[in-house]
Amino acid sequence: CKGHPGWASYPSKIGNAMPEFAQDTLALWRRVTREEDVALYMHYSGVYDIKYCQEHPEDTVVDANGNPVRGATRLDCAYVDDLMIPQLLELAGEYQVDGVWVDGDCWMANADFSEASLAKFQQETGIDLAGQKPGKPGDPYYDEYREYQRELYRKYVRHYVDAVHEKYPDWAIDGEIQVNVAMNSELRDKKYPFTKLKGKEVNTLVFPNLNSASSSYKMLQALSPDTEIIGPIQMGLNKPIPFIDFESSVQEILNVTAVAAIDAMVNKHK
């Protein structure tokens, strides 16, 4: 949907869509998943947006050394109101997807030492930094500034969640969840009572990159040889071209072949 580079992978009307589309792929995915009674959730990069930061350097986080942090949007800038919330509302309303996984918020939210952020801190707290940046432990007002930044993060999350839920109260918005919590519904419901996944069994895991996903399913296969593995499934090509792993079993080859045949039939009837 929208990855860390900042481009929307569907013809969004918000202004960050890729230049050309042969068709509205997201509308196609929604139509097919609805026909098959399958929920559709999207990946959405939160505070991490390289394209937005390149176009709005004034809204980019600055570290304690005065260097911009590539792709990190300031938590109190216009990004959330001008792009993020309108796009989430577009996904919930126009495309009627079932929800989003907001990625990057847990690990890309950085303390901002831009002049604008330092000035707001002094104005809102009454603390005079005397021209110094509280950038490391031991600096005057270091703890106060860190807590100020943490509260900005909490306000940012509450703001976009509340804005979307005001119009679509049942729409699912979740962030990163560790595997042991995601797979244990009792633990997840206890630790995350606010999630729309409450009471549901998880059947899909999204990994941060190909290496971690591959390592995890290979580990599962090694620890439980009777587990049926279907994949890997290659996506994004014009033709259904599957790949198989080294030393794949006959059954694994048949599984991937079946997926490729189904993809070919679907493409034929588009």
mmCIF file of all heavy atoms in Angstrom, residues 56-106:
data_model
loop_
_atom_site.group_PDB
_atom_site.id
_atom_site.type_symbol
_atom_site.label_atom_id
_atom_site.label_comp_id
_atom_site.label_asym_id
_atom_site.label_seq_id
_atom_site.Cartn_x
_atom_site.Cartn_y
_atom_site.Cartn_z
ATOM 1 N N HIS A 56 9.604 17.719 2.000
ATOM 2 C CA HIS A 56 9.356 18.624 3.130
ATOM 3 C C HIS A 56 10.499 18.521 4.140
ATOM 4 O O HIS A 56 10.328 17.962 5.238
ATOM 5 C CB HIS A 56 8.029 18.286 3.808
ATOM 6 C CG HIS A 56 6.840 18.328 2.897
ATOM 7 N ND1 HIS A 56 6.468 17.243 2.121
ATOM 8 C CD2 HIS A 56 5.955 19.318 2.639
ATOM 9 C CE1 HIS A 56 5.392 17.571 1.426
ATOM 10 N NE2 HIS A 56 5.064 18.814 1.713
ATOM 11 N N PRO A 57 11.668 19.020 3.802
ATOM 12 C CA PRO A 57 12.815 18.918 4.721
ATOM 13 C C PRO A 57 12.556 19.578 6.066
ATOM 14 O O PRO A 57 13.157 19.174 7.076
ATOM 15 C CB PRO A 57 13.946 19.605 3.955
ATOM 16 C CG PRO A 57 13.271 20.453 2.917
ATOM 17 C CD PRO A 57 12.019 19.721 2.553
ATOM 18 N N GLU A 58 11.681 20.566 6.105
ATOM 19 C CA GLU A 58 11.378 21.232 7.373
ATOM 20 C C GLU A 58 10.617 20.314 8.336
ATOM 21 O O GLU A 58 10.546 20.590 9.540
ATOM 22 C CB GLU A 58 10.563 22.499 7.116
ATOM 23 C CG GLU A 58 9.105 22.295 6.703
ATOM 24 C CD GLU A 58 8.927 21.905 5.235
ATOM 25 O OE1 GLU A 58 9.943 21.761 4.523
ATOM 26 O OE2 GLU A 58 7.761 21.754 4.807
ATOM 27 N N ASP A 59 10.031 19.233 7.802
ATOM 28 C CA ASP A 59 9.276 18.288 8.625
ATOM 29 C C ASP A 59 10.069 17.021 8.915
ATOM 30 O O ASP A 59 9.504 16.024 9.369
ATOM 31 C CB ASP A 59 7.958 17.919 7.928
ATOM 32 C CG ASP A 59 6.968 19.076 7.921
ATOM 33 O OD1 ASP A 59 7.121 19.979 8.753
ATOM 34 O OD2 ASP A 59 6.047 19.064 7.082
ATOM 35 N N THR A 60 11.356 17.049 8.652
ATOM 36 C CA THR A 60 12.221 15.894 8.881
ATOM 37 C C THR A 60 12.912 16.002 10.235
ATOM 38 O O THR A 60 13.372 17.080 10.623
ATOM 39 C CB THR A 60 13.278 15.782 7.769
ATOM 40 O OG1 THR A 60 12.620 15.688 6.497
ATOM 41 C CG2 THR A 60 14.165 14.563 7.966
ATOM 42 N N VAL A 61 12.978 14.890 10.951
ATOM 43 C CA VAL A 61 13.645 14.858 12.256
ATOM 44 C C VAL A 61 15.122 15.232 12.101
ATOM 45 O O VAL A 61 15.794 14.818 11.154
ATOM 46 C CB VAL A 61 13.523 13.455 12.889
ATOM 47 C CG1 VAL A 61 14.445 13.321 14.102
ATOM 48 C CG2 VAL A 61 12.079 13.185 13.299
ATOM 49 N N VAL A 62 15.625 16.007 13.051
ATOM 50 C CA VAL A 62 17.040 16.370 13.124
ATOM 51 C C VAL A 62 17.614 15.756 14.392
ATOM 52 O O VAL A 62 17.032 15.897 15.478
ATOM 53 C CB VAL A 62 17.218 17.904 13.140
ATOM 54 C CG1 VAL A 62 18.695 18.264 13.324
ATOM 55 C CG2 VAL A 62 16.661 18.518 11.865
ATOM 56 N N ASP A 63 18.755 15.064 14.274
ATOM 57 C CA ASP A 63 19.328 14.442 15.471
ATOM 58 C C ASP A 63 20.093 15.466 16.310
ATOM 59 O O ASP A 63 20.203 16.647 15.946
ATOM 60 C CB ASP A 63 20.212 13.238 15.098
ATOM 61 C CG ASP A 63 21.468 13.617 14.315
ATOM 62 O OD1 ASP A 63 21.909 14.781 14.384
ATOM 63 O OD2 ASP A 63 22.020 12.733 13.622
ATOM 64 N N ALA A 64 20.645 15.008 17.436
ATOM 65 C CA ALA A 64 21.310 15.915 18.381
ATOM 66 C C ALA A 64 22.554 16.556 17.799
ATOM 67 O O ALA A 64 23.013 17.593 18.298
ATOM 68 C CB ALA A 64 21.657 15.163 19.660
ATOM 69 N N ASN A 65 23.094 15.970 16.726
ATOM 70 C CA ASN A 65 24.276 16.532 16.065
ATOM 71 C C ASN A 65 23.921 17.480 14.923
ATOM 72 O O ASN A 65 24.812 17.966 14.227
ATOM 73 C CB ASN A 65 25.162 15.408 15.541
ATOM 74 C CG ASN A 65 25.725 14.546 16.647
ATOM 75 O OD1 ASN A 65 26.140 15.053 17.687
ATOM 76 N ND2 ASN A 65 25.725 13.233 16.447
ATOM 77 N N GLY A 66 22.613 17.697 14.724
ATOM 78 C CA GLY A 66 22.181 18.618 13.687
ATOM 79 C C GLY A 66 22.008 17.998 12.315
ATOM 80 O O GLY A 66 21.827 18.715 11.335
ATOM 81 N N ASN A 67 22.022 16.659 12.248
ATOM 82 C CA ASN A 67 21.883 15.979 10.964
ATOM 83 C C ASN A 67 20.456 15.475 10.765
ATOM 84 O O ASN A 67 19.864 14.898 11.693
ATOM 85 C CB ASN A 67 22.841 14.793 10.886
ATOM 86 C CG ASN A 67 24.287 15.205 11.063
ATOM 87 O OD1 ASN A 67 24.748 16.149 10.435
ATOM 88 N ND2 ASN A 67 25.009 14.505 11.931
ATOM 89 N N PRO A 68 19.882 15.660 9.577
ATOM 90 C CA PRO A 68 18.537 15.124 9.319
ATOM 91 C C PRO A 68 18.554 13.594 9.319
ATOM 92 O O PRO A 68 19.500 12.976 8.844
ATOM 93 C CB PRO A 68 18.190 15.680 7.933
ATOM 94 C CG PRO A 68 19.507 16.000 7.303
ATOM 95 C CD PRO A 68 20.431 16.395 8.411
ATOM 96 N N VAL A 69 17.510 13.004 9.861
ATOM 97 C CA VAL A 69 17.376 11.549 9.898
ATOM 98 C C VAL A 69 16.542 11.139 8.684
ATOM 99 O O VAL A 69 15.358 11.465 8.600
ATOM 100 C CB VAL A 69 16.701 11.078 11.196
ATOM 101 C CG1 VAL A 69 16.573 9.548 11.209
ATOM 102 C CG2 VAL A 69 17.489 11.552 12.410
ATOM 103 N N ARG A 70 17.153 10.447 7.755
ATOM 104 C CA ARG A 70 16.522 10.132 6.470
ATOM 105 C C ARG A 70 15.176 9.416 6.652
ATOM 106 O O ARG A 70 15.093 8.356 7.246
ATOM 107 C CB ARG A 70 17.446 9.255 5.630
ATOM 108 C CG ARG A 70 16.921 8.934 4.226
ATOM 109 C CD ARG A 70 17.987 8.221 3.424
ATOM 110 N NE ARG A 70 17.564 7.963 2.051
ATOM 111 C CZ ARG A 70 17.058 6.811 1.634
ATOM 112 N NH1 ARG A 70 16.932 5.801 2.481
ATOM 113 N NH2 ARG A 70 16.693 6.644 0.371
ATOM 114 N N GLY A 71 14.139 10.037 6.132
ATOM 115 C CA GLY A 71 12.829 9.414 6.117
ATOM 116 C C GLY A 71 12.023 9.535 7.391
ATOM 117 O O GLY A 71 10.867 9.128 7.435
ATOM 118 N N ALA A 72 12.600 10.102 8.453
ATOM 119 C CA ALA A 72 11.898 10.196 9.736
ATOM 120 C C ALA A 72 11.111 11.498 9.812
ATOM 121 O O ALA A 72 11.697 12.582 9.851
ATOM 122 C CB ALA A 72 12.890 10.103 10.895
ATOM 123 N N THR A 73 9.798 11.394 9.820
ATOM 124 C CA THR A 73 8.966 12.592 9.905
ATOM 125 C C THR A 73 8.838 13.046 11.354
ATOM 126 O O THR A 73 8.791 12.213 12.272
ATOM 127 C CB THR A 73 7.555 12.325 9.341
ATOM 128 O OG1 THR A 73 6.933 11.269 10.090
ATOM 129 C CG2 THR A 73 7.633 11.925 7.879
ATOM 130 N N ARG A 74 8.798 14.354 11.551
ATOM 131 C CA ARG A 74 8.593 14.901 12.892
ATOM 132 C C ARG A 74 7.188 14.534 13.377
ATOM 133 O O ARG A 74 6.229 14.533 12.615
ATOM 134 C CB ARG A 74 8.767 16.416 12.875
ATOM 135 C CG ARG A 74 10.193 16.865 12.631
ATOM 136 C CD ARG A 74 10.265 18.392 12.520
ATOM 137 N NE ARG A 74 9.599 19.018 13.642
ATOM 138 C CZ ARG A 74 8.918 20.166 13.574
ATOM 139 N NH1 ARG A 74 8.828 20.817 12.419
ATOM 140 N NH2 ARG A 74 8.357 20.668 14.638
ATOM 141 N N LEU A 75 7.075 14.227 14.648
ATOM 142 C CA LEU A 75 5.815 13.736 15.194
ATOM 143 C C LEU A 75 4.747 14.815 15.290
ATOM 144 O O LEU A 75 3.561 14.501 15.408
ATOM 145 C CB LEU A 75 6.057 13.125 16.578
ATOM 146 C CG LEU A 75 6.956 11.885 16.582
ATOM 147 C CD1 LEU A 75 7.355 11.515 18.004
ATOM 148 C CD2 LEU A 75 6.259 10.720 15.904
ATOM 149 N N ASP A 76 5.150 16.075 15.252
ATOM 150 C CA ASP A 76 4.173 17.162 15.367
ATOM 151 C C ASP A 76 4.099 18.000 14.097
ATOM 152 O O ASP A 76 3.687 19.162 14.141
ATOM 153 C CB ASP A 76 4.517 18.058 16.558
ATOM 154 C CG ASP A 76 5.927 18.645 16.473
ATOM 155 O OD1 ASP A 76 6.693 18.210 15.589
ATOM 156 O OD2 ASP A 76 6.254 19.527 17.287
ATOM 157 N N CYS A 77 4.464 17.399 12.959
ATOM 158 C CA CYS A 77 4.439 18.160 11.705
ATOM 159 C C CYS A 77 3.134 17.907 10.952
ATOM 160 O O CYS A 77 2.249 17.187 11.422
ATOM 161 C CB CYS A 77 5.650 17.803 10.840
ATOM 162 S SG CYS A 77 5.559 16.181 10.060
ATOM 163 N N ALA A 78 3.037 18.476 9.758
ATOM 164 C CA ALA A 78 1.797 18.400 8.985
ATOM 165 C C ALA A 78 1.570 17.044 8.335
ATOM 166 O O ALA A 78 0.481 16.770 7.819
ATOM 167 C CB ALA A 78 1.810 19.488 7.901
ATOM 168 N N TYR A 79 2.564 16.179 8.349
ATOM 169 C CA TYR A 79 2.486 14.887 7.656
ATOM 170 C C TYR A 79 1.243 14.086 8.035
ATOM 171 O O TYR A 79 0.527 13.569 7.174
ATOM 172 C CB TYR A 79 3.752 14.083 7.948
ATOM 173 C CG TYR A 79 3.643 12.602 7.657
ATOM 174 C CD1 TYR A 79 3.704 12.122 6.357
ATOM 175 C CD2 TYR A 79 3.477 11.676 8.697
ATOM 176 C CE1 TYR A 79 3.608 10.765 6.087
ATOM 177 C CE2 TYR A 79 3.386 10.323 8.427
ATOM 178 C CZ TYR A 79 3.447 9.870 7.132
ATOM 179 O OH TYR A 79 3.344 8.518 6.876
ATOM 180 N N VAL A 80 0.977 13.975 9.328
ATOM 181 C CA VAL A 80 -0.113 13.111 9.775
ATOM 182 C C VAL A 80 -1.467 13.632 9.303
ATOM 183 O O VAL A 80 -2.360 12.855 8.946
ATOM 184 C CB VAL A 80 -0.078 12.925 11.305
ATOM 185 C CG1 VAL A 80 -0.368 14.242 12.017
ATOM 186 C CG2 VAL A 80 -1.040 11.834 11.744
ATOM 187 N N ASP A 81 -1.653 14.957 9.271
ATOM 188 C CA ASP A 81 -2.942 15.529 8.853
ATOM 189 C C ASP A 81 -3.056 15.684 7.339
ATOM 190 O O ASP A 81 -4.143 15.550 6.784
ATOM 191 C CB ASP A 81 -3.151 16.896 9.514
ATOM 192 C CG ASP A 81 -3.453 16.767 10.997
ATOM 193 O OD1 ASP A 81 -4.374 16.014 11.357
ATOM 194 O OD2 ASP A 81 -2.767 17.422 11.803
ATOM 195 N N ASP A 82 -1.945 15.979 6.693
ATOM 196 C CA ASP A 82 -1.995 16.244 5.250
ATOM 197 C C ASP A 82 -1.925 14.980 4.401
ATOM 198 O O ASP A 82 -2.418 14.958 3.277
ATOM 199 C CB ASP A 82 -0.844 17.174 4.842
ATOM 200 C CG ASP A 82 -1.023 18.584 5.380
ATOM 201 O OD1 ASP A 82 -2.102 18.863 5.946
ATOM 202 O OD2 ASP A 82 -0.093 19.398 5.248
ATOM 203 N N LEU A 83 -1.295 13.918 4.925
ATOM 204 C CA LEU A 83 -1.111 12.716 4.117
ATOM 205 C C LEU A 83 -1.633 11.459 4.799
ATOM 206 O O LEU A 83 -2.462 10.740 4.237
ATOM 207 C CB LEU A 83 0.366 12.546 3.753
ATOM 208 C CG LEU A 83 0.675 11.514 2.650
ATOM 209 C CD1 LEU A 83 1.948 11.890 1.911
ATOM 210 C CD2 LEU A 83 0.819 10.097 3.191
ATOM 211 N N MET A 84 -1.180 11.190 6.005
ATOM 212 C CA MET A 84 -1.471 9.899 6.618
ATOM 213 C C MET A 84 -2.956 9.688 6.883
ATOM 214 O O MET A 84 -3.543 8.685 6.452
ATOM 215 C CB MET A 84 -0.674 9.748 7.913
ATOM 216 C CG MET A 84 -0.791 8.372 8.535
ATOM 217 S SD MET A 84 0.284 8.214 9.982
ATOM 218 C CE MET A 84 -0.026 6.492 10.413
ATOM 219 N N ILE A 85 -3.582 10.607 7.604
ATOM 220 C CA ILE A 85 -5.002 10.447 7.927
ATOM 221 C C ILE A 85 -5.872 10.442 6.675
ATOM 222 O O ILE A 85 -6.733 9.553 6.524
ATOM 223 C CB ILE A 85 -5.462 11.526 8.926
ATOM 224 C CG1 ILE A 85 -4.819 11.283 10.292
ATOM 225 C CG2 ILE A 85 -6.982 11.545 9.059
ATOM 226 C CD1 ILE A 85 -5.101 12.359 11.327
ATOM 227 N N PRO A 86 -5.692 11.378 5.719
ATOM 228 C CA PRO A 86 -6.503 11.314 4.497
ATOM 229 C C PRO A 86 -6.341 9.995 3.745
ATOM 230 O O PRO A 86 -7.311 9.469 3.190
ATOM 231 C CB PRO A 86 -5.989 12.499 3.676
ATOM 232 C CG PRO A 86 -5.459 13.463 4.680
ATOM 233 C CD PRO A 86 -4.859 12.603 5.755
ATOM 234 N N GLN A 87 -5.114 9.441 3.732
ATOM 235 C CA GLN A 87 -4.904 8.195 2.997
ATOM 236 C C GLN A 87 -5.539 7.008 3.721
ATOM 237 O O GLN A 87 -6.111 6.116 3.077
ATOM 238 C CB GLN A 87 -3.409 7.963 2.795
ATOM 239 C CG GLN A 87 -3.106 6.993 1.651
ATOM 240 C CD GLN A 87 -1.833 7.380 0.942
ATOM 241 O OE1 GLN A 87 -0.801 7.553 1.578
ATOM 242 N NE2 GLN A 87 -1.903 7.510 -0.376
ATOM 243 N N LEU A 88 -5.456 6.981 5.040
ATOM 244 C CA LEU A 88 -6.123 5.917 5.782
ATOM 245 C C LEU A 88 -7.639 5.983 5.586
ATOM 246 O O LEU A 88 -8.310 4.948 5.453
ATOM 247 C CB LEU A 88 -5.773 6.009 7.266
ATOM 248 C CG LEU A 88 -4.308 5.752 7.642
ATOM 249 C CD1 LEU A 88 -4.100 5.909 9.144
ATOM 250 C CD2 LEU A 88 -3.850 4.374 7.184
ATOM 251 N N LEU A 89 -8.179 7.191 5.564
ATOM 252 C CA LEU A 89 -9.619 7.347 5.318
ATOM 253 C C LEU A 89 -9.984 6.913 3.899
ATOM 254 O O LEU A 89 -11.070 6.353 3.675
ATOM 255 C CB LEU A 89 -10.028 8.797 5.552
ATOM 256 C CG LEU A 89 -9.990 9.279 7.002
ATOM 257 C CD1 LEU A 89 -10.252 10.781 7.081
ATOM 258 C CD2 LEU A 89 -11.006 8.521 7.854
ATOM 259 N N GLU A 90 -9.095 7.147 2.946
ATOM 260 C CA GLU A 90 -9.316 6.701 1.575
ATOM 261 C C GLU A 90 -9.365 5.170 1.511
ATOM 262 O O GLU A 90 -10.225 4.593 0.842
ATOM 263 C CB GLU A 90 -8.204 7.232 0.680
ATOM 264 C CG GLU A 90 -8.322 6.825 -0.786
ATOM 265 C CD GLU A 90 -7.139 7.348 -1.598
ATOM 266 O OE1 GLU A 90 -5.979 7.033 -1.238
ATOM 267 O OE2 GLU A 90 -7.375 8.059 -2.592
ATOM 268 N N LEU A 91 -8.451 4.526 2.219
ATOM 269 C CA LEU A 91 -8.416 3.062 2.239
ATOM 270 C C LEU A 91 -9.664 2.486 2.906
ATOM 271 O O LEU A 91 -10.241 1.496 2.433
ATOM 272 C CB LEU A 91 -7.165 2.578 2.972
ATOM 273 C CG LEU A 91 -5.825 2.862 2.293
ATOM 274 C CD1 LEU A 91 -4.671 2.552 3.250
ATOM 275 C CD2 LEU A 91 -5.677 2.061 1.014
ATOM 276 N N ALA A 92 -10.086 3.114 4.005
ATOM 277 C CA ALA A 92 -11.251 2.619 4.734
ATOM 278 C C ALA A 92 -12.557 2.906 3.997
ATOM 279 O O ALA A 92 -13.477 2.076 4.013
ATOM 280 C CB ALA A 92 -11.294 3.252 6.124
ATOM 281 N N GLY A 93 -12.622 4.072 3.342
ATOM 282 C CA GLY A 93 -13.869 4.486 2.707
ATOM 283 C C GLY A 93 -14.000 4.076 1.262
ATOM 284 O O GLY A 93 -14.874 3.278 0.893
ATOM 285 N N GLU A 94 -13.124 4.597 0.413
ATOM 286 C CA GLU A 94 -13.254 4.334 -1.017
ATOM 287 C C GLU A 94 -12.963 2.882 -1.369
ATOM 288 O O GLU A 94 -13.638 2.290 -2.207
ATOM 289 C CB GLU A 94 -12.324 5.257 -1.804
ATOM 290 C CG GLU A 94 -12.446 5.094 -3.315
ATOM 291 C CD GLU A 94 -11.671 6.152 -4.076
ATOM 292 O OE1 GLU A 94 -11.360 7.202 -3.470
ATOM 293 O OE2 GLU A 94 -11.386 5.936 -5.260
ATOM 294 N N TYR A 95 -11.948 2.308 -0.733
ATOM 295 C CA TYR A 95 -11.574 0.932 -1.073
ATOM 296 C C TYR A 95 -12.148 -0.107 -0.109
ATOM 297 O O TYR A 95 -12.136 -1.297 -0.413
ATOM 298 C CB TYR A 95 -10.050 0.807 -1.116
ATOM 299 C CG TYR A 95 -9.451 1.476 -2.319
ATOM 300 C CD1 TYR A 95 -9.038 2.801 -2.262
ATOM 301 C CD2 TYR A 95 -9.328 0.807 -3.532
ATOM 302 C CE1 TYR A 95 -8.495 3.433 -3.381
ATOM 303 C CE2 TYR A 95 -8.790 1.421 -4.650
ATOM 304 C CZ TYR A 95 -8.376 2.731 -4.558
ATOM 305 O OH TYR A 95 -7.837 3.353 -5.659
ATOM 306 N N GLN A 96 -12.613 0.328 1.037
ATOM 307 C CA GLN A 96 -13.271 -0.539 2.009
ATOM 308 C C GLN A 96 -12.414 -1.752 2.388
ATOM 309 O O GLN A 96 -12.928 -2.865 2.530
ATOM 310 C CB GLN A 96 -14.637 -0.987 1.472
ATOM 311 C CG GLN A 96 -15.585 0.169 1.247
ATOM 312 C CD GLN A 96 -16.960 -0.266 0.759
ATOM 313 O OE1 GLN A 96 -17.284 -1.450 0.756
ATOM 314 N NE2 GLN A 96 -17.767 0.686 0.347
ATOM 315 N N VAL A 97 -11.104 -1.539 2.546
ATOM 316 C CA VAL A 97 -10.268 -2.612 3.067
ATOM 317 C C VAL A 97 -10.584 -2.773 4.549
ATOM 318 O O VAL A 97 -11.186 -1.896 5.172
ATOM 319 C CB VAL A 97 -8.766 -2.329 2.836
ATOM 320 C CG1 VAL A 97 -8.482 -2.105 1.366
ATOM 321 C CG2 VAL A 97 -8.296 -1.149 3.661
ATOM 322 N N ASP A 98 -10.178 -3.893 5.115
ATOM 323 C CA ASP A 98 -10.597 -4.215 6.476
ATOM 324 C C ASP A 98 -9.736 -3.577 7.562
ATOM 325 O O ASP A 98 -10.130 -3.547 8.721
ATOM 326 C CB ASP A 98 -10.603 -5.728 6.652
ATOM 327 C CG ASP A 98 -11.638 -6.390 5.748
ATOM 328 O OD1 ASP A 98 -12.833 -6.321 6.082
ATOM 329 O OD2 ASP A 98 -11.261 -6.947 4.701
ATOM 330 N N GLY A 99 -8.557 -3.088 7.186
ATOM 331 C CA GLY A 99 -7.710 -2.461 8.181
ATOM 332 C C GLY A 99 -6.288 -2.307 7.681
ATOM 333 O O GLY A 99 -5.968 -2.642 6.533
ATOM 334 N N VAL A 100 -5.424 -1.772 8.543
ATOM 335 C CA VAL A 100 -4.023 -1.566 8.169
ATOM 336 C C VAL A 100 -3.111 -2.012 9.309
ATOM 337 O O VAL A 100 -3.493 -2.010 10.483
ATOM 338 C CB VAL A 100 -3.697 -0.084 7.850
ATOM 339 C CG1 VAL A 100 -4.355 0.367 6.578
ATOM 340 C CG2 VAL A 100 -4.058 0.822 9.016
ATOM 341 N N TRP A 101 -1.921 -2.402 8.909
ATOM 342 C CA TRP A 101 -0.812 -2.588 9.834
ATOM 343 C C TRP A 101 0.117 -1.398 9.630
ATOM 344 O O TRP A 101 0.711 -1.239 8.576
ATOM 345 C CB TRP A 101 -0.089 -3.901 9.553
ATOM 346 C CG TRP A 101 1.282 -3.976 10.155
ATOM 347 C CD1 TRP A 101 1.645 -3.625 11.430
ATOM 348 C CD2 TRP A 101 2.485 -4.397 9.509
ATOM 349 N NE1 TRP A 101 2.988 -3.812 11.621
ATOM 350 C CE2 TRP A 101 3.537 -4.290 10.453
ATOM 351 C CE3 TRP A 101 2.791 -4.871 8.245
ATOM 352 C CZ2 TRP A 101 4.844 -4.623 10.153
ATOM 353 C CZ3 TRP A 101 4.092 -5.205 7.943
ATOM 354 C CH2 TRP A 101 5.109 -5.087 8.891
ATOM 355 N N VAL A 102 0.211 -0.530 10.622
ATOM 356 C CA VAL A 102 1.077 0.649 10.535
ATOM 357 C C VAL A 102 2.488 0.243 10.961
ATOM 358 O O VAL A 102 2.726 -0.105 12.122
ATOM 359 C CB VAL A 102 0.543 1.800 11.412
ATOM 360 C CG1 VAL A 102 1.476 3.000 11.316
ATOM 361 C CG2 VAL A 102 -0.867 2.193 10.966
ATOM 362 N N ASP A 103 3.396 0.290 10.017
ATOM 363 C CA ASP A 103 4.760 -0.194 10.227
ATOM 364 C C ASP A 103 5.708 0.979 10.487
ATOM 365 O O ASP A 103 5.539 2.055 9.925
ATOM 366 C CB ASP A 103 5.206 -0.966 8.975
ATOM 367 C CG ASP A 103 6.590 -1.556 9.109
ATOM 368 O OD1 ASP A 103 7.029 -1.773 10.249
ATOM 369 O OD2 ASP A 103 7.226 -1.816 8.064
ATOM 370 N N GLY A 104 6.708 0.744 11.321
ATOM 371 C CA GLY A 104 7.762 1.731 11.528
ATOM 372 C C GLY A 104 7.581 2.613 12.736
ATOM 373 O O GLY A 104 8.549 3.220 13.219
ATOM 374 N N ASP A 105 6.361 2.698 13.261
ATOM 375 C CA ASP A 105 6.127 3.607 14.384
ATOM 376 C C ASP A 105 6.924 3.205 15.621
ATOM 377 O O ASP A 105 7.345 4.066 16.404
ATOM 378 C CB ASP A 105 4.635 3.647 14.719
ATOM 379 C CG ASP A 105 3.872 4.603 13.816
ATOM 380 O OD1 ASP A 105 4.494 5.154 12.892
ATOM 381 O OD2 ASP A 105 2.658 4.793 14.033
ATOM 382 N N CYS A 106 7.121 1.911 15.826
ATOM 383 C CA CYS A 106 7.821 1.464 17.037
ATOM 384 C C CYS A 106 9.329 1.656 16.957
ATOM 385 O O CYS A 106 9.993 1.785 17.977
ATOM 386 C CB CYS A 106 7.512 -0.012 17.306
ATOM 387 S SG CYS A 106 5.845 -0.320 17.887
#
